[in-house]
Amino acid sequence: MSSNKQNEIALAAVKLFEQKGYRATSVQDIADAVGLQKGSLYHYIASKEDLLMQIAHQAILQFNEQLQSILDQDISARQKLELMIRTHLTMSIDNLETTTVLWREAFALGEGPQEVIARMSDEYLNLVTRILQEGVQSGEFHVTEPRVTALAILGACNWVYRWYQQTGSLTAEDISQIFSHLFLDGLLT
């Protein structure tokens, strides 16, 4: 099997899933996008659902690995949270189609694959919660419910796929500064 062809198939599927939605995209659509016969496509993929699972798994794995590398750094909790927000938003915006597929289409997965993605997402949530707990312990943050606070931060960061426009005036860095200021300094004057 050619990993280049598999990569081409995954990229085409991401584009189609983002544009048409997972359910509305047929295996024939994917085969046409990469210049294969429908039957030949199955040489590279087990099923359309397996392809979605691979895309979602790879995306959440990259988020988790990046966040773990931030947690491993010897920096303050505030710096970790700022870096987490910047990295999360930059990865989301730089890979907007994949991010859209992850947060919008992964719910179409069957129960088993969906549980895997949910577990990986929970791992990410736990890592963000850990940053907040570190900040509470060091006196940097006054957070009464670190997990709920982590959910609020991730909700804001994950929703970027719904409203971000690449033709807009704000870059990923601009948005990360706005979010960091909001979550770290609040709305106080």
Side-chain angles (χ1 to χ4, degrees):
M1 279 193 234
S2 166
S3 63
N4 286 341
K5 186 54 98 172
Q6 288 172 319
N7 190 44
E8 182 184 353
I9 291 166
L11 291 173
V14 164
K15 187 173 231 45
L16 288 165
F17 293 163
E18 189 273 336
Q19 290 172 350
K20 296 175 70 171
Y22 171 77
R23 294 191 196 287
T25 300
S26 69
V27 173
Q28 186 65 56
D29 291 333
I30 299 167
D32 289 347
V34 295
L36 290 175
Q37 296 286 329
K38 183 177 174 180
S40 299
L41 185 65
Y42 286 109
H43 176 73
Y44 299 98
I45 66 168
S47 66
K48 185 174 84 163
E49 182 183 41
D50 184 59
L51 185 55
L52 177 59
M53 175 59 179
Q54 290 174 26
I55 292 163
H57 185 271
Q58 183 61 35
I60 195 69
L61 182 64
Q62 289 175 344
F63 276 104
N64 285 355
E65 288 174 346
Q66 287 294 318
L67 186 51
Q68 185 60 59
S69 72
I70 291 168
L71 273 147
D72 292 342
Q73 294 182 38
D74 187 23
I75 57 178
S76 70
R78 180 184 178 96
Q79 291 170 312
K80 287 178 184 178
L81 189 59
E82 288 172 339
L83 190 52
M84 172 264 149
I85 291 169
R86 182 179 324 118
T87 302
H88 189 102
L89 289 170
T90 300
M91 286 177 61
S92 294
I93 289 169
D94 287 351
N95 304 288
L96 202 54
E97 288 176 334
T98 302
T99 301
T100 300
V101 170
L102 174 63
W103 299 130
R104 188 185 72 199
E105 302 300 330
F107 294 102
L109 290 167
E111 187 177 324
Q114 203 172 82
E115 287 174 7
V116 171
I117 298 303
R119 236 183 348 268
M120 293 176 77
S121 296
D122 285 347
E123 287 173 29
Y124 194 81
L125 171 61
N126 291 338
L127 293 174
V128 176
T129 301
R130 205 166 97 202
I131 293 172
L132 295 168
Q133 290 167 334
E134 286 178 19
V136 169
Q137 290 172 351
S138 68
E140 293 174 78
F141 302 149
H142 175 72
V143 174
T144 56
E145 294 291 336
R147 187 170 178 85
V148 173
T149 303
L151 286 165
I153 293 168
L154 290 175
C157 290
N158 289 342
W159 200 246
V160 73
Y161 87 88
R162 297 280 292 171
W163 56 264
Y164 180 77
Q165 297 292 318
Q166 293 182 340
T167 57
S169 61
L170 297 175
T171 65
E173 181 64 29
D174 295 334
I175 296 167
S176 71
Q177 287 177 2
I178 292 166
F179 277 30
S180 291
H181 175 70
L182 175 64
F183 284 110
L184 290 164
D185 301 322
L187 301 174
L188 302 174
T189 58

